[in-house]
Amino acid sequence: MATQLYPDYPPDGNDVEQAYLLSNLKDWSIAHGLVVRPTASYVSAETDPSGALATTAPVTLFPSLFPRVCFEQAMSVAQAYNELYSAIASDEEWLKQTVEELVDIDDFIAELWKVYLAVKQEGYVQSLNLGLFRSDYMVHTDPTNPQSGPCVKQVEFNTIASSFGGLSSHVSGLHKHLLAIDAYPEAVGSMINDKSLPESKSVPGLALGMAKAHEAYGPSTGGLPTCVIFLVQDPERNVFDQRHVEYELNKTHGVRTFRLPFGRVLEDTKVDSDRKLIYTPPHAPSKQFEVTLVYFRAGYSPDEYHSQRDWDGRLRIERSAAIKCPSVLTQLAGTKKAQQVLATPHSPHLKRFLPDDSQAAEVLKTFAPIYPMDESEAGKEARKLALDPETAMRYVLKPQREGGGNNVYRRAIPGFLKDTPATHWPAHILMEMIEPPAQDNVIFRNGELQKGGVICELGIYGACLWRHKNGQSDRQILENFEAGYLLRTKGSGSEEGGVAAGFGSVDSACLIDV
Ligand code: ADP
Ligand code: MG
């Protein structure tokens, strides 16, 4: 049962108030690009054969309540997390041990590791790395100790394709606008005000991270114009999220950008004799650009790699001189397995990467217990917890996958394990469920309002640029900053598994003192 921490919220407006709120929400969203491409079930291909339409992004009508202490806690560890994950991504020896436990049972991880080894053998020609990370949290209240107060616990750490930074700045702007035009019933006036709505700086933050990497790469030695590549899925419904960051990069930093579908890497790029990555836009085949940075919004899921060609494309980028956001090692640092190794109770590993004790202690506070599902002592304990229907209710079982819809929750765990050969159990981790306090909101999605209980997940973006020569132990951090926040909110009605695949809605935080 979720605990009660928040006051009654949001208030019900009457029909006229609600119509005012909604019409302003729709107009503001469309006018500011807080939009997505519609699903085929919402707008059919026959209705929109040329793909000209966009629709309002799913958003909450009201900013969801979020304890101020929790928000500040999550913000305060952003730089430490950048430091931590840049250190992990620079520690091949440690990652190798983690990956080795997976290679025999997880083909995707095995293939990524092969790409790394191939480039390592040839020698990396780029020592700069960019991480545009997002650390995801939920508010946790300890049911056995209600006096302890709420804190944030980390759901996962994303090192590749951390999305929604483009829309997040805008939904924060939307809620501020609705407040400014008195679209919220007076009853919330005391709760929502300018001080309680933090601005999300994710668009300028992420663009600044990329601009710093682009600048650190330097000018083309061969005299070509330079560019940043957004490596994308095709089709992509969430394209405007990416466009906001891209346009900021163009406008504020004067950086030329191109969208390159993941499946077209071999056609549209080549690696020259110095291993510079050269891009030729298909619409202008006589032009060439030297690529300074490849920003991955694709390539994180096995279903994107249809054949060896796609792996060859990945290898081409990895062996090139372009800065990768992320490199293969940085992507592997973000596996659930790596998170588990750090967060297993009494794990000694955090110290290896964060020698500063007070920094490590703050990061440690954000860990929820996570167990391996292997033959180790902790693994045996986890297997017992996961197979017992009663204890399984407090856990979620996760494979090494990104992008939602892959987890097995609570009562479904024992049955899932019985249907899975025990040799494959170690490909998963077992994580204690975080139990956020109950609250309500209204989600506007595909033209419909859904009112009811919601669960919020706070993501803090971090940008980190570092230099590390493969095979050496020293690492130099050039940039390390927090880069805005995201609040995602989904209905709490269905079992978590059912809603995890859809992202629910984008939201902003209304900070409250609890
Ligand atoms: P993915 O890489 O698929 O995004 P996540 O670890 O973020 O994987 O899990 C997907 C969703 O499952 C999360 O957004 C969250 O809603 C839910 N979830 C995952 N871990 C937990 C947890 N420990 N407690 C509560 N909910 C969780
Ligand atoms: Mg996630």
Side-chain angles (χ1 to χ4, degrees):
M1 246 338 261
T3 49
Q4 289 297 332
L5 179 72
Y6 302 125
D8 206 15
Y9 177 92
D12 292 317
N14 61 35
D15 287 354
V16 182
E17 286 170 340
Q18 195 156 93
Y20 179 69
L21 174 60
L22 207 54
S23 72
N24 277 287
L25 179 149
K26 286 183 286 192
D27 289 355
W28 196 97
S29 293
I30 292 171
H32 291 82
L34 181 48
V35 291
V36 291
R37 293 272 180 220
T39 56
S41 58
Y42 185 39
V43 176
S44 69
E46 292 93 78
T47 314
D48 182 25
S50 63
L53 296 184
T55 181
T56 57
V59 292
T60 55
L61 262 50
F62 297 86
S64 287
L65 302 180
F66 206 90
R68 188 182 295 276
V69 284
C70 293
F71 190 85
E72 285 167 358
Q73 184 196 359
M75 284 282 184
S76 72
V77 288
Q79 282 171 304
Y81 265 114
N82 286 345
E83 172 84 40
L84 171 60
Y85 274 87
S86 75
I88 295 176
S90 307
D91 195 334
E92 183 212 296
E93 196 192 325
W94 188 86
L95 275 174
K96 184 166 176 236
Q97 288 172 9
T98 317
V99 166
E100 267 172 358
E101 291 195 38
L102 299 171
V103 284
D104 293 336
I105 43 178
D106 191 316
D107 292 343
F108 183 57
I109 302 285
E111 287 298 323
L112 282 172
W113 189 248
K114 268 199 233 158
V115 171
Y116 167 69
L117 289 181
V119 182
K120 181 188 170 191
Q121 194 171 29
E122 187 182 16
Y124 272 84
V125 287
Q126 179 56 266
S127 57
L128 290 165
N129 290 274
L130 179 68
L132 291 180
F133 301 137
R134 200 187 69 218
S135 185
D136 291 338
Y137 306 93
M138 283 179 180
V139 174
H140 180 69
T141 44
D142 183 352
T144 60
N145 182 11
Q147 302 310 317
S148 60
C151 62
V152 287
K153 292 288 180 194
Q154 185 179 57
V155 174
E156 66 158 342
F157 192 86
N158 301 284
T159 60
I160 183 166
S162 309
S163 55
F164 298 114
L167 298 185
S168 175
S169 285
H170 292 283
V171 73
S172 149
L174 166 71
H175 288 152
K176 279 176 185 291
H177 172 71
L178 293 172
L179 172 69
I181 60 162
D182 299 320
Y184 291 135
E186 272 180 24
V188 301
S190 60
M191 232 181 290
I192 312 186
N193 53 58
D194 257 355
K195 286 206 189 78
S196 62
L197 300 187
E199 191 185 341
S200 173
K201 301 194 179 82
S202 45
V203 170
L206 296 175
L208 181 64
M210 286 189 222
K212 291 287 184 190
H214 176 80
E215 200 180 295
Y217 182 98
S220 162
T221 41
L224 291 177
T226 55
C227 76
V228 168
I229 290 287
F230 280 50
L231 192 67
V232 297
Q233 297 182 343
D234 185 25
E236 170 63 83
R237 287 189 45 238
N238 198 23
V239 54
F240 305 105
D241 177 48
Q242 303 167 356
R243 287 292 196 188
H244 285 303
V245 180
E246 192 184 343
Y247 297 154
E248 175 79 8
L249 201 49
N250 304 150
K251 195 171 146 205
T252 306
H253 304 283
V255 176
R256 189 70 196 266
T257 52
F258 292 98
R259 290 173 67 79
L260 172 62
F262 189 61
R264 285 196 59 96
V265 172
L266 294 185
E267 278 96 335
D268 299 344
T269 70
K270 66 174 193 202
V271 168
D272 76 5
S273 55
D274 295 329
R275 285 205 257 156
K276 302 263 157 57
L277 186 65
I278 309 297
Y279 173 71
T280 299
H283 65 273
S286 62
K287 290 196 177 144
Q288 291 195 328
F289 292 82
E290 180 170 335
V291 181
T292 58
L293 169 72
V294 179
Y295 169 56
F296 283 71
R297 288 297 291 262
Y300 54 84
S301 164
D303 7 297
E304 295 174 76
Y305 297 79
H306 302 286
S307 68
Q308 187 54 39
R309 275 184 66 76
D310 294 313
W311 283 108
D312 292 346
R314 180 73 196 251
L315 176 64
R316 177 174 296 177
I317 294 172
E318 187 71 12
R319 65 186 286 276
S320 80
I323 301 173
K324 275 73 69 180
C325 176
S327 68
V328 167
L329 286 190
T330 304
Q331 180 175 353
L332 289 169
T335 54
K336 310 267 187 307
K337 184 72 196 169
Q339 187 193 5
Q340 170 258 301
V341 173
L342 296 173
T344 299
H346 316 297
S347 163
H349 293 272
L350 191 57
K351 260 200 227 108
R352 178 184 179 108
F353 304 111
L354 283 184
D356 179 327
D357 285 346
S358 66
Q359 213 180 28
E362 292 309 309
V363 167
L364 189 64
K365 281 185 200 160
T366 64
F367 289 173
I370 312 181
Y371 302 90
M373 285 292 288
D374 56 18
E375 306 272 9
S376 67
E377 276 313 304
K380 284 186 192 139
E381 183 62 28
R383 289 174 173 206
K384 238 191 266 164
L385 291 166
L387 285 167
D388 179 336
E390 202 171 306
T391 46
M393 289 302 284
R394 298 202 315 270
Y395 291 91
V396 48
L397 188 73
K398 305 186 185 182
Q400 309 303 312
R401 291 290 170 267
E402 301 301 323
N406 306 301
N407 298 344
V408 183
Y409 293 85
R410 304 190 199 255
R411 75 190 75 228
I413 298 173
F416 173 86
L417 287 175
K418 280 178 198 133
D419 294 341
T420 307
T423 47
H424 275 70
W425 292 1
H428 300 78
I429 57 153
L430 187 74
M431 180 174 192
E432 223 168 88
M433 286 296 285
I434 306 163
E435 310 282 0
Q439 71 169 309
D440 287 350
N441 208 330
V442 189
I443 293 173
F444 184 63
R445 186 188 174 86
N446 293 344
E448 286 170 10
L449 291 173
Q450 298 158 353
K451 185 175 175 7
V454 294
I455 290 178
C456 300
E457 189 169 338
L458 175 72
I460 306 291
Y461 297 96
C464 190
L465 179 69
W466 73 96
R467 196 187 292 282
H468 173 251
K469 281 216 167 60
N470 193 257
Q472 295 188 359
S473 61
D474 58 325
R475 171 181 52 105
Q476 182 195 5
I477 293 196
L478 307 177
E479 297 288 338
N480 176 355
F481 53 92
E482 168 264 301
Y485 84 91
L486 162 74
L487 197 67
R488 273 179 310 171
T489 292
K490 62 186 187 182
S492 60
S494 50
E495 174 101 81
E496 278 86 341
V499 284
F503 70 87
S505 63
V506 276
D507 192 352
S508 78
C510 175
L511 302 183
I512 62 163
D513 298 307
V514 290

